[in-house]
Amino acid sequence: MENCGTRPRLAVVVGGPLQDDARAERTAVAAVRAGWDVTLIGRSSSRRREERTLGGAAVVKVPVGTEMQERARLRATAPRGPHALLTRWGLHDERPLARAEAAHAAWVREHTARIGALAARRSAASAPLALLRTAPLRARVRVRRRLHRAVLRLYRADWLPGARGRNSARPTGNWRTDWPALLDLDLAYGPVVEELRPDVLYACGVTAVAAVARSAARLRARGLRTAWVYDARTYVAGTTWPDPGRAGALPAVEDEFAGLADAVVAPSDELARLLWQRHALSSAPLVVGDAPVRGTVGVARHTCPTVRSVCGLADEVPLLVHHGPVGAGRGVETAVEALGVLPGVHLALVGADPQDATLRALLDGAARSGTADRVHVAPRVPHAQVPDHLSSADLGLVCGRHAPDREVVLPTAVPEYLHAGLPVVSSDLRTARTFLQEHGVGVVHAAGEATALAAAVQQALDRRAELAANISGQLLHTLSWEQQSAPLLARFAALLPAPDGSASAAHRLVPREVPWPGSAERRDRQERRRPGVTVPDWRPVPAQGRPGQSRVRLGMGCANHAGQLSGFARALCRARTDVSVEVTMHTSGSPLNGYPADVKIPRGQLGAREAKLDRVNRVLGSYTHYLADAFTPAFGWLNGRHIEDDLPALRGAGIEVALLAHGSDVRDPERHRERYPDSLFHAAPEDTLAVLVRNSARNRRVAAESGLPLFATTPDLLDDLPGAQWAPLVVDVDAWACDRAVMERPRPVVVHAPSRRWTKGTERILPVLEELDRRGAIEFRLAEGLPWAGMRELVQGADIVVDQFAVGTYGTFACEGMAAGKPVVAFVDERVHKAVGAVPPIVNATAGTLHTALENLLDDRAMAAATGQESLAYVRAYHDGRHTARALDAFLT
């Protein structure tokens, strides 16, 4: 029975998340280019299967359960022997124990409360009688408590984890019991792999080897001639694993399966020799080193942010870079310590996990030594962009401490640094030392010695031009994935069986012109199809270096309250031909998020690596100016959740920044409450008010200290932001305009639409509106949660718009009502509007005078209609975008 299909099938299997395995991704794409039908399989971070494509390869992310791990844990901690019947009590682990303790506590509270009730009821008549009546119940509680304590003593002594040394977690040498996660992986991956019926299986690392070997065996049992290849990646027997289970399991699983593979791959000659000897292999492992794809180097040099720009450093500042994890044994603490004797030198840690305890310890150590301002943490970038991202640094660091597994392979970062044009400063790990000395592209220091590292850095900085000149084109060619992967692809082809079984069927491989991930062609396609991008009706910002560059490339984000940034974008592009705009919006599930934007990012993804990297790439790679809306961050939650956290990087990249305030993001709640008796802050929920007080105080501080241009969309905010300029709210007047005459119906329609009731004083005005509705004087419509289109239809069909009575100014909804030619009733502090020379024709009322104001409109309908027409003229004068564009002119020069 033969595998069918036009092209031979290759399954590339990764035991962990795919985003952590650049080598697997490169292998998959290289095989596609060589003519294979490739599926790349890895672990899903969710509970569902995910599928996509990568460079012509199908990508399948598989959810992996924990059933075998749970089973092993329960079996390992279960008491054994006849006494277990007396100590287990039906409690299998700590969760049911916690439930049992809670149930006991509830029972005791119930019965002691009953005792108290009985005693109180009878004490007045006779204290001895009360004691007599409650004595049996008291005795029952005492017995129950003592029994419960005895049960717990037996349980904890014989059953809880750690009892009698039962859970010492000493490895047994059987990987199935030492680390049953490998069994869970096999259960999840096996059906996926076997459904594909691949010709060749490629196990990427030791964690994938058991699942691949077992699937290959099952496929062979079905009559398929499936071959499989083991890529060892690291010296498993010489690695210090983070827990005893893996320390016993991974060498054992490699010992069991490596010798059964049709081919074994290693990243270095020395590791290949060790594997050959340890597993008595029939032939030497194939050596395939880690290396970047040379065809993608330089493609992103002018479109992705450099590490120097992310750190906000000038070109003349000496910058060291460490790419990759910073966990134990990586020696990065030596580099941080060395900064103490390297004045003016900065260190960028690129790709470190923000949750890593080692990283937090490093930053704490830098703070104690006074070098915290010279240690920068930068996010990971896509694999294809790493050399271009690092290229702005001066030197690349390898600081690893001595360990058997580190001695025998060339660190992956070394080829990345060299393709970035960076000389390398490395600890004296055997393979790295030999390589650097042979090619003259770096300086070596004693591992773990900060003074030695500092001396090596100084030497490398002094000799940087000489060392960089030794990074020859021939060396980079040898260290390219195109060159390194060629023998691997040849081995895959050699394992491909012919239909008659006599020889290889490599002739079935027909190469394809497939771009590498990160190449210019692929980037162009992704740029056109980025998720969350809508076609804007303003002039969009193209990627840097692409045709159609405007002099001013303005990014705006990320609140877009009431679609204001969208309105600003239209207004600026109409007013100025030298401006292009990109609007970014953070979204939730609310229907009020339906405003147009170039990029929409769900709030739940702001902390995701992909979202943060996309923002860094876009902001630092394309914008000349940035308008920070409502003090929201520019890079997702990369540096924090406030624009203040991103200002160093923005300034370092030479981007002009301004701040835009809308309302309660800067209003001082205490001053507002003192000024207005019906202030919204009187009605704010207590927890919400605390947040508003804290956030607005920070925003006002940042506005004052930053020295940046300040803009506010409502005039009242100029009191809270000294030096700010009024950039009026923008509405699409033509979109809201309507021909429907107002106040001609016997019962005029009155609309009120609060986003949140307490912000507009809704509870104080509802009785008035509902009473007039019951009387038949008006037809009242309360609109909450309507999307933009529904709200527009409602307003255009109304006669009167009732806005807010708790702020002292008018907002977007009032502007929209005026644009529709409706009289608007709201509370307006005329003082703040006279200060900017623009008093709106709004029917001014408080919650207490609303009834009178509406009665006046109903009694004088001609006056009401005239007010609607004045309102339309006012909006065209101040809120159609022209006034706003003029306000921003100075910032955009």
Side-chain angles (χ1 to χ4, degrees):
M1 182 178 180
E2 286 299 324
N3 291 347
C4 58
T6 304
R7 296 181 183 274
R9 296 175 182 170
L10 171 70
V12 179
V13 182
V14 178
L18 291 176
Q19 63 266 25
D20 297 334
D21 202 324
R23 184 176 171 101
E25 290 189 356
R26 293 170 186 149
T27 300
V29 179
V32 170
R33 291 165 61 89
W36 291 82
D37 182 355
V38 181
T39 301
L40 179 59
I41 300 170
R43 183 191 292 262
S44 172
S45 58
S46 67
R47 295 183 180 179
R48 55 186 173 82
R49 174 168 167 157
E50 303 171 40
E51 298 185 16
R52 62 182 180 90
T53 59
L54 174 74
V59 178
V60 180
K61 295 182 179 181
V62 183
V64 180
T66 59
E67 289 78 11
M68 297 304 294
Q69 297 170 70
E70 282 289 309
R71 181 175 180 272
R73 185 180 66 80
L74 292 175
R75 291 183 65 182
T77 56
R80 298 174 177 85
H83 68 281
L85 298 175
L86 299 176
T87 61
R88 188 164 182 171
W89 306 104
L91 305 175
H92 302 290
D93 57 25
E94 292 186 60
R95 284 175 292 180
L97 173 63
R99 291 194 294 269
E101 289 194 287
H104 169 73
W107 186 93
V108 170
R109 289 179 61 82
E110 172 74 21
H111 285 75
T112 51
R114 191 179 302 173
I115 291 170
L118 286 173
R121 196 160 53 239
R122 300 184 181 279
S123 60
S126 169
L129 181 59
L131 182 61
L132 182 64
R133 294 291 181 88
T134 59
L137 199 52
R138 292 176 187 273
R140 186 179 177 191
V141 170
R142 283 196 298 271
V143 170
R144 178 71 174 260
R145 278 175 164 164
R146 288 171 182 169
L147 179 61
H148 183 72
R149 284 196 294 268
V151 166
L152 288 184
R153 279 196 295 269
L154 287 170
Y155 184 87
R156 290 192 171 106
D158 197 54
W159 165 229
L160 282 182
R164 299 188 180 181
R166 190 178 300 117
N167 293 295
S168 58
R170 289 189 296 270
T172 67
N174 184 343
W175 63 268
R176 295 161 181 81
T177 56
D178 286 344
W179 204 35
L182 295 175
L183 294 174
D184 285 318
L185 197 71
D186 179 46
L187 288 173
Y189 281 21
V192 177
V193 171
E194 292 154 35
E195 182 182 356
L196 292 171
R197 306 202 309 171
D199 296 284
V200 177
L201 273 164
Y202 181 55
C204 300
V206 67
T207 55
V209 71
V212 165
R214 290 177 151 200
S215 290
R218 286 192 288 263
L219 288 166
R220 288 170 177 173
R222 290 160 53 185
L224 299 170
R225 291 201 296 273
T226 300
W228 70 280
V229 178
Y230 169 44
D231 187 349
R233 301 290 185 87
T234 189
Y235 184 26
V236 175
T239 300
T240 302
W241 298 102
D243 56 78
R246 269 179 281 191
L250 296 182
V253 77
E254 186 182 76
D255 288 344
E256 179 174 338
F257 292 112
L260 303 177
D262 296 284
V264 175
V265 177
S268 71
D269 291 319
E270 187 167 359
L271 180 55
R273 179 180 56 79
L274 291 171
L275 291 170
W276 190 10
Q277 293 172 350
R278 179 180 177 91
H279 302 299
L281 302 176
S282 59
S283 60
L286 181 69
V287 177
V288 178
D290 276 326
V293 177
R294 196 177 183 197
T296 65
V297 176
V299 170
R301 189 69 54 93
H302 302 294
T303 58
C304 78
T306 64
V307 65
R308 187 175 291 274
S309 66
V310 170
C311 297
L313 300 177
D315 291 344
E316 63 272 13
V317 177
L319 176 60
L320 315 177
V321 65
H322 179 277
H323 183 242
V326 297
R330 301 277 179 170
V332 183
E333 68 279 359
T334 308
V336 173
E337 184 181 350
L339 291 181
V341 291
L342 289 168
V345 176
H346 288 242
L347 170 64
L349 306 177
V350 179
D353 182 357
Q355 305 304 318
D356 191 334
T358 305
L359 176 61
R360 294 195 293 271
L362 288 172
L363 298 178
D364 290 342
R368 288 191 298 272
S369 64
T371 59
D373 61 330
R374 292 189 283 131
V375 178
H376 310 269
V377 179
R380 294 172 62 177
V381 298
H383 306 310
Q385 295 182 5
V386 168
D388 292 341
H389 181 65
L390 303 181
S391 63
S392 62
D394 294 294
L395 301 173
L397 293 186
V398 174
C399 311
R401 293 181 177 271
H402 290 293
D405 58 315
R406 297 193 190 96
E407 302 287 352
V408 299
V409 297
L410 184 68
T412 304
V414 171
E416 293 172 337
Y417 294 150
L418 297 179
H419 278 274
L422 306 183
V424 181
V425 173
S426 173
S427 56
D428 54 350
L429 302 173
R430 188 163 62 248
T431 302
R433 179 187 65 217
T434 301
F435 178 88
L436 295 181
Q437 291 174 344
E438 178 183 348
H439 295 284
V441 292
V443 179
V444 177
H445 65 89
E449 297 184 12
T451 53
L453 189 153
V457 166
Q458 192 58 60
Q459 180 185 353
L461 288 173
D462 293 341
R463 298 175 51 206
R464 189 182 186 285
E466 171 196 343
L467 296 172
N470 291 334
I471 306 174
S472 65
Q474 180 57 45
L475 177 60
L476 295 180
H477 173 71
T478 302
L479 288 177
S480 69
W481 186 245
E482 293 93 329
Q483 182 71 8
Q484 291 292 322
S485 63
L488 178 61
L489 297 173
R491 185 62 57 92
F492 288 162
L495 293 172
L496 189 60
D500 59 3
S502 59
S504 170
H507 63 275
R508 293 169 56 194
L509 295 169
V510 179
R512 287 186 278 177
E513 291 295 327
V514 175
W516 290 101
S519 68
E521 179 182 347
R522 177 179 170 83
R523 194 185 69 248
D524 287 347
R525 289 203 304 266
Q526 288 180 327
E527 189 68 26
R528 293 193 296 269
R529 300 178 182 178
R530 277 186 301 147
V533 175
T534 57
V535 178
D537 55 353
W538 49 84
R539 192 178 304 113
V541 174
Q544 187 174 353
R546 301 279 292 280
Q549 288 290 302
S550 303
R551 185 187 68 81
V552 176
R553 298 182 295 279
L554 172 64
M556 297 195 291
C558 297
N560 201 18
H561 291 311
Q564 279 305 299
L565 293 186
S566 310
F568 276 41
R570 295 189 192 96
L572 288 168
C573 290
R574 282 198 304 265
R576 299 179 53 150
T577 59
D578 63 338
V579 173
S580 57
V581 181
E582 181 167 88
V583 174
T584 300
M585 181 179 180
H586 298 165
T587 65
S588 65
S590 169
L592 301 180
N593 286 318
Y595 300 106
D598 295 286
V599 181
K600 294 186 178 182
I601 309 173
R603 294 187 188 280
Q605 296 181 15
L606 292 176
R609 186 185 67 183
E610 293 78 6
K612 292 185 289 189
L613 290 179
D614 182 72
R615 294 310 303 147
V616 170
N617 289 338
R618 193 62 179 162
V619 173
L620 300 185
S622 300
Y623 300 166
T624 60
H625 295 68
Y626 188 77
L627 185 63
D629 181 34
F631 298 82
T632 51
F635 304 130
W637 291 343
L638 172 64
N639 300 312
R641 303 191 179 190
H642 196 279
I643 188 60
E644 180 183 23
D645 305 313
D646 293 335
L647 289 180
L650 291 168
R651 285 167 163 157
I655 297 174
E656 299 291 334
V657 182
L659 305 177
L660 176 65
H662 291 285
S664 294
D665 49 357
V666 293
R667 283 193 186 99
D668 184 339
E670 187 59 35
R671 186 165 60 182
H672 198 272
R673 287 191 293 188
E674 291 174 356
R675 182 176 299 165
Y676 304 119
D678 291 339
S679 167
L680 73 161
F681 297 113
H682 288 300
E686 187 174 344
D687 55 342
T688 302
L689 180 61
V691 172
L692 292 173
V693 169
R694 181 175 67 250
N695 290 351
S696 64
R698 180 183 185 182
N699 295 342
R700 292 194 302 274
R701 174 186 61 77
V702 170
E705 294 176 356
S706 67
L708 297 174
L710 306 176
F711 299 96
T713 54
T714 58
D716 65 309
L717 299 181
L718 304 183
D719 288 342
D720 295 286
L721 288 181
Q725 187 174 356
W726 183 40
L729 297 163
V730 176
V731 295
D732 187 343
V733 179
D734 293 334
W736 285 87
C738 67
D739 297 329
R740 186 190 299 273
V742 300
M743 305 301 287
E744 291 187 348
R745 286 174 285 207
R747 292 183 63 186
V749 173
V750 177
V751 171
H752 176 59
S755 53
R756 286 172 293 179
R757 291 191 177 194
W758 63 269
T759 65
K760 293 201 172 187
T762 299
E763 299 299 343
R764 289 193 295 272
I765 64 171
L766 274 181
V768 174
L769 297 169
E770 291 171 346
E771 190 269 333
L772 289 171
D773 182 80
R774 284 192 299 271
R775 277 176 37 199
I778 65 172
E779 182 180 330
F780 172 51
R781 296 176 184 173
L782 178 66
E784 296 178 289
L786 275 181
W788 182 85
M791 189 66 71
R792 182 179 64 169
E793 182 180 350
L794 187 68
V795 169
Q796 288 177 333
D799 293 287
I800 300 172
V801 171
V802 174
D803 191 23
Q804 60 73 36
F805 299 84
V807 179
T809 190
Y810 60 94
T812 305
F813 181 60
C815 289
E816 292 164 346
M818 288 190 284
K822 315 299 180 182
V824 175
V825 185
F827 167 56
V828 175
D829 183 345
E830 294 188 357
R831 175 189 60 86
V832 298
H833 294 88
K834 287 178 180 177
V836 296
V839 179
I842 287 177
V843 179
N844 200 353
T846 65
T849 62
L850 174 62
H851 191 284
T852 301
L854 289 175
E855 290 282 12
N856 289 340
L857 290 174
L858 295 173
D859 290 342
D860 192 343
R861 300 193 173 204
M863 180 268 292
T867 301
Q869 292 305 306
E870 292 173 21
S871 299
L872 176 58
Y874 177 86
V875 168
R876 287 197 182 278
Y878 290 100
H879 295 287
D880 69 350
R882 290 173 296 171
H883 198 293
T884 305
R886 289 194 296 272
L888 293 170
D889 264 342
F891 165 57
L892 298 177
T893 55

